[in-house]
């Protein structure tokens, strides 16, 4: 599958929202391997949060399109001090495993360097997602040893099925 990449614009928000939700939550997400559907219920993000991301000059959303439809996306944010953050990596569940995720991570790293002058990329991964941690390690990311709390009572991030959930921080020198 050939996909083209570009920086998302506000008109992309509804389609990006559908893509992100389908990749992370509900039965559609279970068709892929990167979902959180067994750990969290509720939403992954909302239209307002995506709109705020689009308006923030310190963030970019890269969108992958095939046949004029979004099939993947990734967020890059400037965290300052030459550190960027990678988030919202989403690939259509029916297309996972075909290299699109790797392509999006690579594009995010390039964007972090060229736009924000980043020398380090970090991300958070839910601690129970060991297979995802392994995938990122194969891309050169390392577990830093830092843990961050999951916002357990903020339904904007989903409703955890367990209270024993947290984020591990992974990082890569760019």
């Amino acid at each position: 599958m050939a996909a083209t990449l570009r920086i998302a614009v506000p008109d992309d928000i509804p389609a990006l929202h559908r893509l992100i939700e389908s990749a992370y939550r509900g039965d559609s997400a279970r068709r892929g391997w990167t979902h959180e559907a067994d750990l969290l219920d509720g939403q992954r993000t909302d239209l307002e949060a995506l709109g705020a991301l689009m308006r923030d000059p310190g963030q970019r959303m890269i969108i992958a399109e095939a046949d004029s439809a979004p099939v993947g996306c990734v967020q890059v944010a400037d965290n300052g001090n030459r550190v960027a953050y990678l988030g919202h990596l989403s690939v259509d569940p029916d297309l996972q495993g075909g290299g699109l995720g790797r392509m999006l991570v690579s594009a995010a790293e390039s964007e972090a360097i060229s736009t924000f002058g980043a020398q380090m990329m970090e991300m958070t991964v839910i601690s129970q997602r060991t297979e995802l941690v392994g995938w990122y390690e194969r891309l050169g990311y390392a577990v830093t040893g830092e843990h961050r709390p999951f916002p357990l009572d903020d339904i904007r991030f989903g409703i955890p099925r367990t209270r024993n959930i947290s984020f591990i921080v992974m990082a890569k020198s760019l």
Side-chain angles (χ1 to χ4, degrees):
M1 184 228 20
T4 58
L5 300 178
R6 65 176 174 83
I7 301 297
V9 297
D11 286 347
D12 295 317
I13 291 173
L16 284 171
H17 183 252
R18 285 189 299 275
L19 171 68
I20 292 167
E21 294 302 312
S22 74
Y24 284 96
R25 300 287 198 272
D27 290 336
S28 66
R30 288 185 175 90
R31 293 192 311 262
W33 68 274
T34 64
H35 67 84
E36 301 165 347
D38 295 331
L39 298 170
L40 298 157
D41 292 316
Q43 68 184 21
R44 177 61 156 72
T45 190
D46 57 35
L47 296 172
E48 293 78 21
L50 291 172
L53 184 157
M54 296 280 180
R55 290 186 301 275
D56 183 344
Q59 298 190 67
R60 301 286 185 278
M61 181 71 83
I62 300 169
I63 186 170
E65 293 179 314
D67 298 322
S68 301
V71 293
C73 65
V74 64
Q75 168 199 12
V76 183
D78 183 6
N79 278 1
N81 298 320
R82 299 197 165 288
V83 176
Y85 179 82
L86 185 146
H88 285 303
L89 179 60
S90 305
V91 173
D92 179 313
D94 293 327
L95 301 175
Q96 291 178 12
L100 186 54
R102 288 177 187 272
M103 184 171 81
L104 284 162
V105 170
S106 178
E109 292 168 354
S110 295
E111 184 71 18
I113 293 166
S114 65
T115 301
F116 303 126
Q119 295 176 342
M120 178 79 62
M121 180 79 85
E122 74 170 24
M123 71 182 74
T124 55
V125 179
I126 294 174
S127 58
Q128 286 90 337
R129 301 297 320 284
T130 56
E131 72 284 0
L132 192 55
V133 169
W135 186 79
Y136 282 118
E137 287 175 328
R138 291 189 295 279
L139 296 182
Y141 288 82
V143 174
T144 66
E146 179 184 354
H147 289 260
R148 295 182 185 160
F150 186 90
L152 293 170
D153 299 314
D154 189 340
I155 62 169
R156 292 177 300 162
F157 299 98
I159 303 163
R161 292 183 177 196
T162 176
R163 305 286 292 174
N164 183 26
I165 190 169
S166 65
F167 292 114
I168 61 169
V169 178
M170 299 187 77
K172 177 182 178 179
S173 292
L174 299 177

